[in-house]
Amino acid sequence: FPMAAADPQVLALAAQITESREQDIPLLLLKLKGILSSPSLGCEESNKIKQDIYDYGLTQYCLLILKQDHSQLQGAWATAAQLAEILSHCCVGLEVKEDPEEFYKKFLPSAIDSLLVLGKRLQARFIRAIKEKEKQDFLHWFQIVTDAICWLFGGHIQLAACVLQNDCFLQLLITDDVETAIIMMSVLHNILRINSSVLLQVEEETLHSVLDELVYKLSSTTNPAVGSAATKLLLLVAKLCKQLVQLFTARYKGLKGLLSKQWTGKGFDREVNQLLDLLYLEQSSGKGGMQQHQAACIIQAAWRGFQTRKRLKKLPQAVVTLQRSFRAKREQELQHLTKQKEEEALKLQMQLQRQRAMRLFHERQLASLEVVHASQLNKYMQEMEEKSALTIQRFWRGYRARRIFHQQKQSLKEYKAAIIIQRAACKFLEKRRRRRPLSPWKAPKGLTDEQRLALQQKVDDYIKLHPASQMSEETSKELHMQAQAKLAQFLLRSRLDQRAAQRREALLAQVNTDVELLMNAPGLAEATEKDLGAFMSRSIPVAAKARQTHNTMLKYTRWPWWKKLGDEFVEYDVIPDDAINTELESLFIGGRKSF
């Protein structure tokens, strides 16, 4: 901790972060934005606060949080973007006096790497987003992160080469998305504007990859914004580094034709014409190549750009596959260790139980030996051995019987199921065999013209021989009245006959019931009051038979399912006659017998 007096706000924030939970630290670090943007601070006071923030480790906290999983932070990507902006503002204008090598050669490059990785993740989520609101949010956060990167290497010029040589920067630049591509080209424009000789400081492979991507964007897109940004970048490169113009003419032979044919008249003709003038001037001073060589260079540049983008697109998938396999292997190892620990604990527990049981057995045996007389010791030991042998044999027989039963249980179940299925199938086949087959429908044959004429001739002859008789209206009314009178007499007579028949049937039923009661009645010497009540009330026999029928129905409904398995092939409302006849044999209702 610093010995000089520190800013009270920074000191209070550092103390609060020290006492807070880990998940609350990102939101606390956002308070640095208000401390740094205070309008009352001068240049020296601002630098002093940045020095205090660095000395108390708050800058290192921001960097550590940016290296974590941003989706787990409170506020997620918005918090990460704001922390990136705070980190860049804390580093710009900071002059570290103690251990400057740690700050300039390790901390700042690590901050650049973290910001570029954050920008790459935001770009990927912006491309995958579907809703317009989400796309706008991710694009806004991506803009904040790129501005923080520009602010950081703007305050430390040596970081421009570090940004340009970073793999994440090339991955961000190589994209087919228009919005993020324009933002990354603006970042490259700021790099060249701040450090004009940075392209000569990087490796040749990195330089070629950047130029190949810019030329590819000119050849593969028709968007004026992308074309304008790429053209301005190539013009800036040609103006700042004259020796790279020769590289343009030698490596990209078809660039002049591409600019003149595809990008003339798009709204940025001044930049296009300036770039063409530089290229033609270099071509006039140097050796001109052949047209086939120019086409080959363009094809090679497009192919290299395609291969590079293809390889970079596969990198996230490879990383995800590697992480998935690592997590699966780690989970398998954890499960194996857990299982091994459980088995060891079970073995230890069984061993302890066995030892405890043996100790109790020996204690009981010693106690019994103390009680038994010496002369009875051999007899007692023999009885204990016989009892132990019987116990062991009993457990063994039980185990063997259970094992045999479990082996035969499945076969017995299959045998019973086969019998039930065969019985049901036989019933079904017998029922279908008894059905009367329906004769196929045959369409009637149509009449020919000759048959139709002959039939019409017969109908006409019959009408001539049997003309319809004419009847007056009065005669027809009289006939109608006579028919109505006869119909009324018939209906009245049929009702009387029906009532008489019903009365006869009731009398016959009563006679049959009386005869049955008299035949089954006991003698006068054996008669009781209960028998006498049967002759006084005629509903008791009917109620007795109804009770017997009801009991029979209840027994049928309580049968087990395997007895009623074949009932799905018969009607549910019909109860088999043999089920009722087995209990009643016959049923008398009102003196009439039904089987």
Side-chain angles (χ1 to χ4, degrees):
F1 289 95
M3 299 301 295
D7 186 79
Q9 295 181 352
V10 177
L11 184 60
L13 182 59
Q16 189 177 4
I17 289 174
T18 305
E19 298 174 356
S20 300
R21 297 180 301 174
E22 184 178 355
Q23 57 267 26
D24 298 333
I25 293 177
L27 297 180
L28 294 175
L29 289 174
L30 295 180
K31 296 180 180 180
L32 292 173
K33 187 174 182 181
I35 297 174
L36 293 173
S37 60
S38 179
S40 61
L41 294 178
C43 183
E44 295 182 358
E45 295 176 352
S46 177
N47 294 336
K48 178 63 172 58
I49 289 178
K50 293 178 182 179
Q51 184 67 41
D52 293 340
I53 292 173
Y54 180 78
D55 291 339
Y56 278 99
L58 300 182
T59 310
Q60 290 83 343
Y61 261 123
C62 293
L63 182 58
L64 288 175
I65 291 173
L66 288 177
K67 289 182 179 180
Q68 297 176 1
D69 187 6
H70 307 101
S71 59
Q72 302 297 329
L73 298 177
Q74 294 187 17
W77 300 102
T79 303
Q82 294 180 23
L83 288 177
E85 185 179 11
I86 291 171
L87 177 63
S88 63
H89 281 281
C90 289
C91 293
V92 174
L94 177 62
E95 295 181 359
V96 179
K97 298 179 181 179
E98 297 181 1
D99 198 5
E101 185 176 357
E102 175 72 20
F103 176 73
Y104 289 105
K105 293 187 178 180
K106 293 183 180 180
F107 182 79
L108 289 179
S110 179
I112 287 292
D113 292 340
S114 300
L115 294 179
L116 288 174
V117 169
L118 176 59
K120 181 182 175 182
R121 293 177 179 175
L122 287 171
Q123 185 190 50
R125 279 160 177 78
F126 168 74
I127 294 173
R128 291 198 302 265
I130 299 175
K131 297 181 180 179
E132 187 64 27
K133 180 64 169 57
E134 292 181 359
K135 294 182 72 70
Q136 293 298 327
D137 292 339
F138 280 116
L139 184 62
H140 175 65
W141 298 331
F142 181 75
Q143 183 70 55
I144 292 175
V145 174
T146 53
D147 291 343
I149 295 172
C150 294
W151 183 262
L152 188 57
F153 68 69
H156 301 278
I157 301 177
Q158 73 276 8
L159 294 178
C162 181
V163 173
L164 200 59
Q165 290 178 348
N166 196 293
D167 293 336
C168 290
F169 175 79
L170 187 60
Q171 295 173 11
L172 288 169
L173 184 63
I174 299 175
T175 180
D176 295 331
D177 183 67
V178 177
E179 289 86 350
T180 57
I182 294 174
I183 293 174
M184 289 311 300
M185 284 191 285
S186 66
V187 173
L188 181 58
H189 189 277
N190 291 331
I191 292 174
L192 296 176
R193 182 174 54 82
I194 291 171
N195 190 354
S196 59
S197 62
V198 67
L199 293 177
L200 302 178
Q201 299 174 4
V202 299
E203 297 179 358
E204 185 178 359
E205 184 179 358
T206 303
L207 175 62
H208 289 173
S209 299
V210 173
L211 296 178
D212 288 346
E213 181 60 25
L214 294 177
V215 174
Y216 175 78
K217 290 185 184 301
L218 288 174
S219 62
S220 63
T221 186
T222 57
N223 193 302
V226 178
S228 175
T231 304
K232 290 178 181 179
L233 272 175
L234 290 176
L235 179 61
L236 182 61
V237 170
K239 287 182 178 179
L240 296 177
C241 305
K242 300 295 183 181
Q243 56 269 39
L244 293 180
V245 181
Q246 185 179 359
L247 178 63
F248 288 166
T249 56
R251 187 176 177 85
Y252 312 109
K253 297 293 184 180
L255 182 59
K256 297 185 294 296
L258 179 66
L259 291 171
S260 59
K261 292 180 181 180
Q262 185 172 346
W263 296 107
T264 303
K266 298 293 184 178
F268 49 94
D269 293 342
R270 184 168 61 86
E271 289 81 3
V272 173
N273 294 330
Q274 290 179 7
L275 183 57
L276 287 174
D277 292 340
L278 292 175
L279 294 176
Y280 282 120
L281 181 62
E282 180 64 27
Q283 184 178 9
S284 62
S285 60
K287 295 181 180 180
M290 294 185 298
Q291 188 175 1
Q292 294 180 355
H293 185 65
Q294 295 176 356
C297 289
I298 294 174
I299 293 172
Q300 289 175 1
W303 174 252
R304 290 191 192 96
F306 170 74
Q307 288 290 344
T308 305
R309 281 188 299 277
K310 184 178 178 181
R311 186 171 62 254
L312 291 175
K313 285 181 180 179
K314 290 182 179 179
L315 284 178
Q317 185 177 0
V319 172
V320 171
T321 305
L322 181 62
Q323 291 177 349
R324 188 186 300 113
S325 61
F326 173 74
R327 293 191 186 100
K329 185 177 180 181
R330 185 175 60 184
E331 185 68 22
Q332 187 177 3
E333 291 178 354
L334 291 175
Q335 290 179 359
H336 179 69
L337 290 175
T338 305
K339 186 177 180 181
Q340 188 175 1
K341 290 180 180 179
E342 290 177 355
E343 290 178 354
E344 292 177 356
L346 181 61
K347 289 180 180 179
L348 182 60
Q349 186 177 3
M350 293 296 293
Q351 186 177 0
L352 292 175
Q353 290 179 358
R354 192 178 297 110
Q355 291 177 357
R356 190 180 298 111
M358 290 294 294
R359 186 170 62 252
L360 292 175
F361 172 73
H362 288 303
E363 289 177 356
R364 285 197 301 268
Q365 192 173 16
L366 290 174
S368 60
L369 289 176
E370 291 177 357
V371 175
V372 178
H373 195 267
S375 60
Q376 302 292 330
L377 183 61
N378 294 330
K379 184 179 179 180
Y380 174 75
M381 293 299 295
Q382 186 177 359
E383 290 179 356
M384 292 297 296
E385 289 178 359
E386 291 178 356
K387 188 181 294 184
S388 301
L390 290 175
T391 303
I392 294 171
Q393 290 175 1
R394 185 173 67 254
F395 276 99
W396 166 250
R397 292 191 190 98
Y399 168 73
R400 185 176 61 181
R402 284 191 298 273
R403 187 176 62 182
I404 294 173
F405 174 74
H406 283 297
Q407 291 176 356
Q408 296 179 354
K409 185 177 180 181
Q410 184 64 25
S411 60
L412 182 63
K413 187 184 296 184
E414 293 176 356
Y415 177 74
K416 290 183 178 179
I419 292 175
I420 293 172
I421 293 171
Q422 289 175 1
R423 187 187 299 118
C426 291
K427 288 183 179 179
F428 172 73
L429 293 175
E430 183 66 22
K431 185 177 180 180
R432 191 173 65 176
R433 194 181 298 113
R434 290 178 180 178
R435 288 181 181 176
R436 187 175 181 179
L438 299 176
S439 60
W441 180 79
K442 295 182 180 180
K445 296 181 180 180
L447 297 175
T448 60
D449 295 338
E450 296 178 357
Q451 293 176 349
R452 190 178 292 104
L453 291 174
L455 184 61
Q456 184 66 32
Q457 184 64 34
K458 289 181 181 181
V459 170
D460 295 338
D461 294 341
Y462 181 83
I463 292 173
K464 290 180 181 178
L465 292 174
H466 303 86
S469 60
Q470 298 292 332
M471 185 180 294
S472 62
E473 184 177 357
E474 292 78 5
T475 307
S476 63
K477 288 182 178 181
E478 185 178 357
L479 288 175
H480 177 69
M481 295 299 294
Q482 293 177 2
Q484 291 291 330
K486 290 182 178 181
L487 180 60
Q489 293 177 2
F490 172 76
L491 292 177
L492 181 60
R493 189 166 54 253
S494 63
R495 289 178 182 174
L496 295 175
D497 294 340
Q498 185 177 4
R499 291 177 181 176
Q502 289 178 355
R503 182 173 181 78
R504 284 195 300 272
E505 289 180 359
L507 291 174
L508 286 175
Q510 183 177 357
V511 170
N512 289 333
T513 303
D514 294 339
V515 170
E516 183 69 21
L517 291 174
L518 289 173
M519 290 178 67
N520 295 330
L524 294 177
E526 300 175 356
T528 60
E529 294 182 1
K530 185 177 181 181
D531 297 331
L532 187 62
F535 289 95
M536 295 175 63
S537 176
R538 301 182 183 277
S539 62
I540 292 178
V542 178
K545 295 298 181 180
R547 188 181 300 107
Q548 292 179 0
T549 307
H550 179 68
N551 293 333
T552 305
M553 294 287 289
L554 288 178
K555 288 182 181 179
Y556 178 75
T557 55
R558 291 170 183 171
W559 281 357
W561 63 270
W562 50 269
K563 281 190 176 182
K564 296 189 292 184
L565 186 63
D567 292 347
E568 63 266 16
F569 302 103
V570 298
E571 291 79 1
Y572 290 101
D573 298 334
V574 178
I575 299 175
D577 293 338
D578 54 354
I580 301 176
N581 291 336
T582 53
E583 297 291 338
L584 301 178
E585 294 183 355
S586 63
L587 180 64
F588 289 88
I589 298 175
R592 181 172 297 178
K593 186 176 182 180
S594 59
F595 296 93

